[in-house]
């Protein structure tokens, strides 16, 4: 299978399957002499790790990362960084009944049509298990970006239930099982998701990722638009069906004067925007404002509810997916979205430095050339 890599100068290649002995990635393009250890990566993996609440899959994986190459005496060497995580809690027998059956909503049938063979154990390569390595790569990307850029994700909608923006609290995100910034909504979602889980069904979600401190200038006007690369990165996450930047689809309801992010001069000669409808990107290039990306995750396709399908013999069947599955896979997509944001920004940071030198500060003055 081709196309297992993403990025240009910061390039990530992942490998492995859900029920194989291990999963891993190779990261190329990391500059030398950056401090890096497993301790810099593990906290991000712990946030994505399965089995942490009744609202995610009960597969018990410690997701302990190992650095195999590219680091010497605590510093990156500029050579490829190889990372691996062992799979320790596979239950392949759970998938014996679907070996020749295709689950609706899954990639089972498209994989079979394309390759003539598929690994039914947990979805094989199409499993969200692969995203653990994206999170690991994102942790490395954050080391390149440094502390000046902060990336924060949150689950802002579960099913049809949205958060109340007036109650948005960054500190609340890590206090509940949903990465939810609204404490009241998080409590309401508990009973809602409990009922969905017990009924054998699932529900979708909307995740919002915000990057603050991104310097203006990252991106390019035509074929390397920052927002286009961010959209592609988020769409590449399992079960994601839509992406928007800034106001996104809501921008279509505005008039031009309402959508324009007007500007004014500060007393110190720098420029300030009066709004951020663009989500921090204009013409494919970062403005220095917060970059705001939202993506929609569909309901988990593996459900206990019996649904209509077909098998490999061309027979109409009814199928029920057993095993350990997330009733809302969007919950664990939050740290994955953060990681993809970090990877894209690190890639564009390196590209900008290669062409234009060091990225400029986040607040720019207007100067005459």
């Amino acid at each position: 299978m081709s196309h297992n890599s993403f990025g240009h100068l910061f390039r990530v290649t992942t490998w492995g399957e859900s029920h194989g002995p291990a999963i891993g990635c190779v990261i190329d393009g990391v500059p030398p002499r950056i401090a890096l250890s497993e301790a810099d990566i593990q906290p991000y993996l712990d946030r994505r790790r399965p089995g942490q609440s009744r609202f995610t899959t009960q597969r018990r994986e410690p997701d302990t990362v190992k650095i195999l190459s590219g680091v010497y005496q605590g510093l990156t060497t500029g050579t490829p960084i190889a990372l691996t995580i062992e799979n320790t809690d596979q239950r392949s027998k759970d998938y014996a009944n679907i070996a020749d059956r295709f689950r609706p909503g899954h990639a089972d049938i498209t994989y079979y049509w394309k390759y003539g063979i598929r690994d039914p154990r947990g979805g094989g390569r199409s499993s969200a298990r692969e995203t653990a390595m994206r999170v690991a790569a994102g942790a490395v990307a954050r080391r390149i970006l440094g502390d000046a850029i902060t990336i924060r994700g949150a689950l802002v909608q579960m099913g049809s239930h949205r958060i109340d923006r007036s109650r948005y609290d960054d500190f609340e995100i890590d206090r509940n099982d949903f990465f939810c910034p609204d404490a009241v909504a998080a409590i309401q979602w508990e009973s809602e998701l409990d009922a969905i889980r017990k009924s054998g069904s699932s529900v979708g979600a909307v995740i919002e990722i915000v990057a603050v401190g991104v310097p203006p200038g990252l991106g390019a006007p035509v074929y390397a638009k920052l927002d286009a690369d961010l959209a592609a990165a988020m769409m590449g996450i399992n079960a994601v069906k839509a992406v928007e930047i800034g106001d996104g689809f809501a921008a279509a309801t505005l008039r031009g004067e309402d959508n324009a992010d007007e500007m004014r001069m500060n007393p110190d000669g720098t420029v300030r925007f009066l709004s951020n409808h663009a989500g921090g990107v204009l013409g494919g290039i970062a403005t220095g404002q917060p970059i705001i990306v939202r993506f929609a995750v569909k309901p988990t396709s593996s459900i206990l509810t019996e649904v209509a399908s077909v098998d490999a013999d061309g027979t109409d069947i009814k199928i029920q997916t057993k095993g350990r599955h997330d009733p809302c896979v969007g919950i664990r997509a939050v740290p994955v979205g953060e990681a993809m944001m970090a990877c894209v920004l690190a890639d564009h940071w390196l590209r900008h430095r290669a062409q234009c030198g060091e990225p400029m500060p986040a607040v720019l003055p207007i100067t005459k050339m």
Side-chain angles (χ1 to χ4, degrees):
M1 188 194 304
S2 58
H3 307 298
N4 292 292
S5 304
F6 65 91
H8 292 267
L9 295 190
F10 182 86
R11 188 164 182 82
V12 180
T13 301
T14 69
W15 54 266
E17 292 81 32
S18 176
H19 285 226
I23 54 177
C25 72
V26 177
I27 309 168
D28 205 0
V30 178
R33 300 184 302 280
I34 293 177
L36 182 68
S37 69
E38 283 98 345
D40 297 312
I41 303 171
Q42 195 62 50
Y44 297 102
L45 287 166
D46 290 343
R47 294 179 72 230
R48 195 218 69 100
R49 183 167 49 85
Q52 299 190 71
S53 80
R54 67 183 184 276
F55 303 116
T56 62
T57 172
Q58 293 306 293
R59 180 171 175 171
R60 302 288 179 176
E61 293 285 358
D63 280 357
T64 303
V65 68
K66 294 180 181 177
I67 298 176
L68 302 183
S69 68
V71 177
Y72 176 68
Q73 294 184 343
L75 297 176
T76 59
T77 62
T79 58
I81 295 173
L83 307 174
T84 187
I85 295 173
E86 292 183 2
N87 291 328
T88 63
D89 190 26
Q90 310 97 311
R91 293 185 188 175
S92 299
K93 59 180 175 53
D94 288 345
Y95 299 91
N97 68 322
I98 65 162
D100 58 354
R101 299 180 171 196
F102 303 111
R103 297 167 294 174
H106 270 285
D108 295 349
I109 196 163
T110 51
Y111 267 55
Y112 186 75
W113 280 336
K114 182 173 180 66
Y115 300 108
I117 187 173
R118 70 181 179 93
D119 182 351
R121 303 167 303 165
R125 182 69 176 152
S126 67
S127 169
R129 180 83 186 120
E130 180 269 346
T131 62
M133 299 320 304
R134 306 191 200 194
V135 172
V140 177
R142 289 180 197 243
R143 299 297 295 168
I144 295 174
L145 297 172
D147 297 334
I149 297 175
T150 61
I151 300 170
R152 194 64 161 153
L155 199 151
V156 297
Q157 181 177 337
M158 181 177 289
S160 60
H161 304 291
R162 296 179 173 88
I163 65 166
D164 184 336
R165 291 280 176 175
S166 69
R167 295 193 295 256
Y168 197 108
D169 181 0
D170 276 328
F171 294 103
E172 184 59 35
I173 293 172
D174 291 325
R175 292 175 184 157
N176 58 71
D177 294 325
F178 303 103
F179 299 108
C180 177
D182 178 352
V184 175
I187 294 172
Q188 295 170 342
W189 290 353
E190 283 192 17
S191 56
E192 173 82 8
L193 196 53
D194 267 332
I196 290 170
R197 177 175 58 88
K198 291 174 182 177
S199 73
S201 189
S202 61
V203 69
V206 175
I207 289 87
E208 182 177 270
I209 312 294
V210 179
V212 178
V214 178
L218 300 193
V222 184
Y223 298 119
K225 293 178 183 289
L226 179 59
D227 46 357
D229 283 352
L230 285 170
M234 301 306 170
M235 279 298 298
I237 300 171
N238 308 62
V240 172
K241 301 304 292 184
V243 179
E244 63 179 14
I245 312 291
D247 283 0
F249 283 98
T253 68
L254 302 176
R255 294 175 66 102
E257 63 270 23
D258 298 320
N259 184 66
D261 294 318
E262 296 180 295
M263 293 173 280
R264 282 288 183 262
M265 297 301 301
N266 290 317
D268 62 359
T270 60
V271 177
R272 73 180 186 278
F273 289 91
L274 305 186
S275 58
N276 190 18
H277 299 292
V281 185
L282 288 172
I285 300 172
T287 66
Q289 289 191 281
I291 293 179
I292 303 171
V293 180
R294 281 177 294 276
F295 58 89
V297 179
K298 69 179 183 179
T300 313
S301 298
S302 294
I303 54 176
L304 292 173
T305 302
E306 195 173 65
V307 291
S309 188
V310 297
D311 64 18
D313 295 323
T315 305
D316 290 338
I317 60 169
K318 290 283 189 176
I319 189 169
Q320 179 189 54
T321 306
K322 299 178 182 180
R324 301 164 293 175
H325 307 288
D326 299 76
C328 178
V329 73
I331 297 173
R332 291 194 297 128
V334 173
V336 182
E338 291 180 351
M340 296 308 287
M341 172 77 85
C343 289
V344 171
L345 292 179
D347 189 30
H348 275 271
W349 190 92
L350 292 171
R351 290 193 231 174
H352 181 92
R353 190 177 71 170
Q355 181 183 19
C356 303
E358 291 293 324
M360 297 180 180
V363 179
L364 280 180
I366 296 292
T367 57
K368 294 181 179 180
M369 298 300 290

